[in-house]
Amino acid sequence: MAPHSTTLIPSAKWNTTYDSSARLPTKEHCVKVRNLLFAEEEKASPSDGDHSGCPSDLSAQHERAILYLHGAKDMTRDDTDVELDFRQESHFFYLTGVNEPGFHVIVDFTAMQVYLVAPTISETDVMWKGAAANTSELLQQYDVDYIITEDDMGPTLKQLAPTVIHVLDTTDTTALPADMLPLLKQDDLRLALTRARLTKFPWEITALRRAADATSHCHTALMARFPSLFSQGKITEGRVAALFTGLAAACHGLDRQAYVPIVASGVRAAILHNTRRSGLIEPGALVLVDAGVEAGCYSSDVTRTFPASGTFSAEARTMYAIVLKMQKAVLAKLKAGTWWPDMELLAMQVLCEELVALGILCGSVDELLDRGVPNAFFYHGLGHSVGLDVHDVGGSYLFTEPLQPDMVITVEPGVYFHGAVLQAWSESVHRDYFDWVQLDRYRSVGGIRIEDTVQITADGHDNLTTAPKEIADIECLMQTSEKHVDLFSVSFPTSPASTTTGASPSPSSASSVPSSSSAFIPLLSTRA
């Protein structure tokens, strides 16, 4: 029959590169943190008069308050001289945009000026790693007011004459003058940074969209090429992870993963974080790939589950449809003002209803939910915040406050048949709520997770993830792709959506791309 009509490839084309040298407007982060920090202090110690959180009023109330952070340093592995790949501490990057080792930052909250302290580079380091950028270059590259040296830091602090220095409890303060140490305050800064990072500015959404675009492309390419990999014999889960990371680097110039890729197949897919990836993938198994790239320190987080053979078995199809129904139910309700615990309950209710309908669970849905029985199959949270870290700060607020516009979160329901977990339930007082014979039909499915990263908006959400997830779309992609196309020689035009803060492609424009058009589907080379 004719190929199923799908929107496998959105009209917005994949990015090829990410410009990590672009100057980020991070000073607005400093202002945001300052306002939140002072507002929290005002709540804790209310003063006379109504200051309304106005920046000028807040500065007057907190005269001579500064912030100090020391960025990450180069590290080596254990007791060797082998360097570890450098990645900046996320709070420091949030305030400075600096992804280089050894820097410090001082933020004068009174004048709202940012002092970036450049590290001292020895002649030996210059020989091994090259010369550091000069003051003019640093001012062009970073959104700061002054560049000073480490030798200048002490005199600068004396000139600022702070009465309080806000630091984190993890901040290395050994570079501060001894007479400044009594002024350190560790109580409030982490809360202000957490609050600030929970919602994103438009340029941050753009960075997150770039990461999601590249990640979606890598997932799509893996699915498209996967069936033909078995012509070379069985492959390991580790090789799949290597293919994913290679795609991100070769096609998008993104050589850092947001987290260690999780690849699991068959019964191992019930292991939530299978980072060992040592198993062989059987042709009839489902393959779960939970992987995302990082673009300019901003993360992505996407999971797709697909059949290694290119066709879902009857049991896998049934369970996959349940997980997709769980996710769609939640996505239909997402918008600012929604309470996340209600979404977790909704997902669990859909799962429970479907398992009762299949005869796997026995009893009323209300009773099963009240006793937590569906947790035997879905035993992790529905999602988390995403930003500079894949499990970004502020996740606890998802359970204490309604969702806000410009939060970026994941929606990742799953169904798992974990032998040890089910064994524990079979030996519990709840064992009679299960039809174990019916359940055994589905054990070989292992685990299924579908995860998208979405931006919360005032009246809904913007799904940043574009990798296919409908059963028909996945099977069409895996069964009709031209396997001779070499992904590593394919060019991908820059996406208009990924260079602005615009919305995702409209359905009408996306549906105009034929699902069977291999010219638009990036594939893995047969050399992989």
Side-chain angles (χ1 to χ4, degrees), residues 326-327 330-331 333-348 378 380-385 394-404 407-413 452 454 456:
M326 293 165 68
Q327 193 196 49
V330 172
L331 291 174
K333 298 286 187 180
L334 276 190
K335 64 178 180 178
T338 299
W339 285 87
W340 189 245
D342 292 343
M343 298 299 94
E344 293 210 321
L345 179 59
L346 174 60
M348 197 65 77
F378 180 31
H380 62 75
L382 180 63
H384 53 82
S385 182
S396 61
Y397 291 118
L398 296 180
F399 298 93
T400 59
E401 301 175 2
L403 298 179
Q404 303 174 43
M407 282 182 170
V408 177
I409 62 174
T410 64
V411 181
E412 49 180 306
D452 290 352
V454 304
I456 302 300

Side-chain angles (χ1 to χ4, degrees), residues 12 26 39 60 156 165 174 213 216 224-225 267 323 325 343 403 407 418 521 528:
T26 51
T156 299
I165 303 176
T174 56
D213 277 348
S216 294
R225 181 66 178 88
V267 296
V323 178
K325 186 174 183 179
M343 298 299 94
L403 298 179
M407 282 182 170
H418 193 295
I521 301 178

Side-chain angles (χ1 to χ4, degrees), residues 98-136:
V98 176
N99 193 24
E100 300 177 65
F103 281 79
H104 317 242
V105 66
I106 298 168
V107 182
D108 176 6
F109 285 143
T110 303
M112 205 52 245
Q113 293 181 326
V114 181
Y115 296 77
L116 185 62
V117 184
T120 302
I121 306 297
S122 69
E123 292 182 0
T124 301
D125 285 338
V126 170
M127 179 178 66
W128 286 101
K129 298 184 177 182
N134 60 39
T135 298
S136 176

Side-chain angles (χ1 to χ4, degrees), residues 15 35 42 96 189 247 249 263 273 281-282 320 341 367 372 402 461 466 487 499:
N15 273 332
N35 293 345
E42 289 298 313
T96 65
L189 181 56
L247 285 168
V263 180
H273 284 184
I281 299 174
E282 300 291 340
Y320 188 97
E367 181 181 6
H461 71 277
T466 57
L487 175 64
T499 54

Side-chain angles (χ1 to χ4, degrees), residues 384-430:
H384 53 82
S385 182
V386 178
L388 287 174
D389 295 300
V390 67
H391 288 173
D392 210 27
V393 295
S396 61
Y397 291 118
L398 296 180
F399 298 93
T400 59
E401 301 175 2
L403 298 179
Q404 303 174 43
D406 298 324
M407 282 182 170
V408 177
I409 62 174
T410 64
V411 181
E412 49 180 306
V415 166
Y416 309 95
F417 293 83
H418 193 295
V421 173
L422 293 174
Q423 180 66 27
W425 281 89
S426 73
E427 297 170 355
S428 74
V429 296
H430 302 299

Side-chain angles (χ1 to χ4, degrees), residues 64-68 157-158 160-167 173 176-187:
R64 294 187 294 169
I66 70 171
L67 173 152
Y68 169 76
L157 287 169
K158 290 185 182 300
L160 292 174
T163 56
V164 61
I165 303 176
H166 291 281
V167 298
T173 59
L176 293 178
D179 60 347
M180 293 287 175
L181 297 182
L183 305 179
L184 301 184
K185 186 175 182 181
Q186 302 178 348
D187 301 337

Side-chain angles (χ1 to χ4, degrees), residues 314-323 350-362 377 415 417 435 437-442 445:
E315 292 77 17
R317 181 181 298 268
T318 297
M319 286 299 152
Y320 188 97
I322 291 174
V323 178
V350 172
L351 172 62
C352 189
E353 290 171 351
E354 294 298 320
L355 294 180
V356 168
L358 284 174
I360 292 176
L361 292 181
C362 310
F377 304 94
V415 166
F417 293 83
D435 184 327
V437 174
Q438 181 71 349
L439 186 153
D440 284 344
R441 289 182 52 197
Y442 296 92
V445 170

